[in-house]
Amino acid sequence: MKVVKLEEILGTEHDVDGGTWVSRRLINKSDGMGYSVNDTIIKAGTETHIWYQNHLEAVYCIEGDGEVETLADGKIYKITPGTLYALDKHDEHLLRGGKEDMRVVCVFNPPLSGKEVHDENGVYPVDED
């Protein structure tokens, strides 16, 4: 069994600052679970272009507020605590922080290695190791 505490991740290589977000990678590819789990803060008032061409992601909001806009259809979804959204079709989207920082728990398949940041297209690369 593996037990991870957020405080053990802070300040390590798995505490990744993407500028508009900070993601603390709790479960990673090396843990062999087949998925990864992140505790992520989306900074208030920011906008991030994301397009996970190589991953599926489910996101559950536990604090704060924000919104997601799917670029294929221009739909905007308000995100508040208790809301889950799933990018089940590799949806290209804009993620916007609201009036206060938004804290979310993210699950990725395939799993992240734990060090990724988005490339110029909003994509995480596939970790082939």
Side-chain angles (χ1 to χ4, degrees), residues 67-78 91-94 96:
E67 66 182 28
V68 175
E69 179 179 354
T70 49
L71 296 183
D73 58 13
K75 288 185 180 179
I76 296 175
Y77 303 88
K78 298 290 183 190
D91 310 84
E92 184 175 10
H93 62 286
L94 297 173
R96 298 184 183 107

Side-chain angles (χ1 to χ4, degrees), residues 92-103:
E92 184 175 10
H93 62 286
L94 297 173
L95 178 58
R96 298 184 183 107
K99 295 178 184 155
E100 56 184 301
D101 287 352
M102 181 170 53
R103 185 175 179 195

Side-chain angles (χ1 to χ4, degrees), residues 60-67 77-84 102:
Y60 182 69
C61 179
I62 56 176
E63 294 176 5
D65 67 299
E67 66 182 28
Y77 303 88
K78 298 290 183 190
I79 308 300
T80 57
T83 304
L84 180 136
M102 181 170 53

Side-chain angles (χ1 to χ4, degrees), residues 25 32 92 109-110:
R25 285 35 189 310
E92 184 175 10
N109 182 19

Side-chain angles (χ1 to χ4, degrees), residues 18-127:
T20 58
W21 51 267
V22 178
S23 183
R24 294 77 63 96
R25 285 35 189 310
L26 302 169
I27 297 289
N28 304 295
K29 183 177 182 179
S30 64
D31 295 310
M33 299 291 293
Y35 57 86
S36 57
V37 178
N38 306 335
D39 180 320
T40 301
I41 304 295
I42 307 302
K43 296 177 184 176
T46 63
E47 180 178 270
T48 306
H49 171 247
I50 303 173
W51 190 7
Y52 294 130
Q53 298 172 2
N54 304 311
H55 297 86
L56 298 175
E57 181 190 27
V59 180
Y60 182 69
C61 179
I62 56 176
E63 294 176 5
D65 67 299
E67 66 182 28
V68 175
E69 179 179 354
T70 49
L71 296 183
D73 58 13
K75 288 185 180 179
I76 296 175
Y77 303 88
K78 298 290 183 190
I79 308 300
T80 57
T83 304
L84 180 136
Y85 66 92
L87 301 161
D88 60 341
K89 294 179 179 47
H90 303 281
D91 310 84
E92 184 175 10
H93 62 286
L94 297 173
L95 178 58
R96 298 184 183 107
K99 295 178 184 155
E100 56 184 301
D101 287 352
M102 181 170 53
R103 185 175 179 195
V104 295
V105 175
C106 309
V107 177
F108 283 89
N109 182 19
L112 302 179
S113 69
K115 302 173 193 171
E116 292 87 352
V117 293
H118 302 116
D119 70 12
E120 66 279 358
N121 296 312
V123 176
Y124 280 156
V126 172
D127 180 15

